[in-house]
Amino acid sequence: MAKKAEKAIKWELPKERQPVWGVIKFIFSPFFLVKNIEYLGPAFPEKCIIVCNHNNKKGPVVYDFSLPIRHATWGAYQMLGSYNMRFKYLRDIFYMRKNRKRKWIATIKAGFESVFSIYAYKGIKVIPSYPDTRFINTLHYSMQCLDSGMAVSMYPEDSDNGYLDEMTHFFPGFVMLSEQYYKKTGEDLPVFPIYYGRKKKKIVVGKPLYIQEYLEQGLKRNEISEIFRLEVNKLYREHFAQ
């Protein structure tokens, strides 16, 4: 008998005000807030798509603390599920597969972090990202955010071999989001490649690119995602690799 497909996690549009998370950001801002943001083009408009490097655990929190724009971000759907889902994801995928930790170390870390991680994920306004047919929910939730005037950020790198300074492959989910939003609204949203360098404690925001322009040239989704991968890697080489 075929395994019954899991239901998508119930998700609600993040509230404008998050008092508890605001207090947490105030307390931890000395550790995560990056004030050095360099723009190579225009500043973020209210509504846009942001393509980022993940930089292991720290990146998403740094971006939430530092970017001067309200945004929701794609993240592993398991981290918005039950304690058991969060534990298995952290132990088996994040620590053992991506960070090459031994099982006993991964178990201890995952057991501890699974208790409070749900609050952090909700605080940084994570949209559950799915690798299967439920991805349609990810797109739907993301378009709700865009409709509300909130930007959407994501980390499209393939991190199965760990989080690298220069990324080797981008998944094209952000291209699909741009496509679907254009079909719905006629808006070709700007897509910003950006890079956070932990050692220099700096964020560089590249010039925005437009997905529809590439589609009109006949490029396929994976070809467009490759263009963005090269742009993000270029930010690393020109601003952080020296």
Side-chain angles (χ1 to χ4, degrees):
M1 184 181 293
K3 183 180 178 180
K4 187 177 180 180
E6 294 179 287
K7 292 183 179 179
I9 292 170
K10 186 178 179 180
W11 185 89
E12 295 180 354
L13 189 70
K15 296 179 180 179
E16 184 72 30
R17 291 178 57 81
Q18 293 181 298
V20 175
W21 186 244
V23 172
I24 293 174
K25 289 177 71 171
F26 177 78
I27 294 172
F28 288 97
S29 61
F31 306 99
F32 294 102
L33 177 63
V34 172
K35 295 182 180 179
N36 187 4
I37 302 178
E38 179 180 352
Y39 293 87
L40 304 182
F44 298 113
E46 182 182 59
K47 185 165 48 174
C48 61
I49 297 172
I50 306 171
V51 175
C52 325
N53 68 313
H54 197 284
N55 208 318
N56 217 315
K57 282 196 297 185
K58 197 171 184 180
V61 181
V62 167
Y63 284 129
D64 182 78
F65 277 42
S66 308
L67 294 184
I69 182 174
R70 187 166 179 262
H71 65 283
T73 187
W74 288 10
Y77 74 93
Q78 297 95 323
M79 293 302 295
L80 292 173
S82 65
Y83 174 88
N84 193 45
M85 287 175 67
R86 300 197 299 275
F87 173 76
K88 287 184 177 179
Y89 175 81
L90 285 170
R91 184 193 64 185
D92 300 341
I93 299 177
F94 183 79
Y95 281 117
M96 293 181 65
R97 184 194 301 175
K98 297 186 178 186
N99 282 279
R100 304 294 190 268
K101 299 293 184 183
R102 294 181 180 179
K103 187 172 183 178
W104 70 270
I105 296 176
T107 300
I108 293 172
K109 284 180 169 288
F112 174 70
E113 292 179 17
S114 298
V115 175
F116 62 83
S117 58
I118 185 67
Y119 304 107
Y121 268 65
K122 288 185 176 181
I124 63 176
K125 301 176 286 296
V126 168
I127 298 170
S129 179
Y130 297 95
D132 50 33
T133 55
R134 292 171 294 172
F135 181 66
I136 191 172
N137 295 91
T138 304
L139 295 178
H140 176 68
Y141 299 151
S142 300
M143 288 193 285
Q144 282 185 325
C145 290
L146 293 169
D147 284 340
S148 72
M150 189 190 314
V152 175
S153 66
M154 57 206 66
Y155 312 91
E157 67 193 90
D158 183 349
S159 56
D160 275 354
N161 292 316
Y163 296 103
L164 308 174
D165 290 333
E166 289 199 58
M167 288 141 281
T168 58
H169 178 256
F170 267 15
F171 295 108
F174 66 96
V175 180
M176 297 172 68
L177 173 59
S178 177
E179 282 184 90
Q180 293 302 312
Y181 200 72
Y182 181 79
K183 289 179 181 178
K184 176 183 175 183
T185 67
E187 294 182 71
D188 187 16
L189 295 176
V191 184
F192 287 82
I194 73 174
Y195 198 99
Y196 161 59
R198 183 176 58 223
K199 292 182 180 179
K200 291 191 176 183
K201 204 171 184 182
K202 177 181 178 181
I203 295 171
V204 177
V205 181
K207 296 179 181 179
L209 303 174
Y210 293 85
I211 300 295
Q212 196 61 31
E213 293 180 5
Y214 293 118
L215 291 172
E216 290 174 355
Q217 295 173 26
L219 273 65
K220 298 179 180 179
R221 290 171 180 162
N222 63 328
E223 294 173 322
I224 298 172
S225 64
E226 176 65 6
I227 290 172
F228 278 87
R229 183 188 71 85
L230 294 174
E231 286 293 321
V232 175
N233 283 346
K234 182 179 177 182
L235 294 178
Y236 166 73
R237 290 196 304 272
E238 294 184 352
H239 298 272
F240 300 98
Q242 297 87 353

